[in-house]
Amino acid sequence: MNDQIVLKRTGTIQGERNIVSTTELPPQTVVGCVRAVESSWQRPANTDPVEWDYKASLAFLLGQEVRKDDRLDLPNLGEFVVVDARPGRRFLAVTAIQQKRGAE
């Protein structure tokens, strides 16, 4: 567990006249381990741009609070969205994806 990962989360707040809106919470730095990053690409049709997918497998200590739909800024890899977070016996196993399109 030696990777410094920035955790970004949105929350809901209740404003004037009971209007509920989302807001960006302050980013947190968590310590985890990037176990693997897989990449794949596909071209849906000849005229469409290429779509790239990156899937990261991460591990965190059980005390770290990482939830589905959180955004993780991984060092040298960019921003990923958490799609699955499962607690195991010793670690929290997290799967996150990053999608790009064209020449991004």
Side-chain angles (χ1 to χ4, degrees):
M1 303 293 162
N2 57 358
D3 293 320
Q4 298 284 329
I5 299 169
V6 177
L7 172 75
K8 298 175 184 175
R9 182 176 291 158
T10 57
T12 58
I13 59 168
Q14 186 172 358
E16 296 179 16
R17 293 186 251 166
N18 294 331
I19 297 174
V20 177
S21 61
T22 60
T23 183
E24 184 89 18
L25 298 176
Q28 303 173 357
T29 301
V30 294
V31 178
C33 178
V34 179
R35 297 181 356 190
V37 177
E38 303 171 13
S39 66
S40 64
W41 65 273
Q42 60 184 348
R43 178 174 281 179
N46 289 339
T47 58
D48 290 340
V50 175
E51 294 178 355
W52 296 88
D53 292 331
Y54 293 95
K55 177 179 159 186
S57 298
L58 303 113
F60 295 93
L61 294 175
L62 289 174
Q64 301 285 347
E65 187 181 343
V66 179
R67 296 185 237 158
K68 185 179 179 201
D69 297 327
D70 284 347
R71 292 176 318 194
L72 302 174
D73 192 4
L74 303 180
N76 299 324
L77 296 171
E79 191 171 284
F80 286 72
V81 176
V82 175
V83 293
D84 187 29
R86 289 172 284 126
R89 178 180 273 175
R90 295 190 175 119
F91 299 108
L92 177 67
V94 173
T95 304
I97 60 169
Q98 178 187 60
Q99 295 180 339
K100 292 187 177 185
R101 186 179 162 112
E104 291 180 6

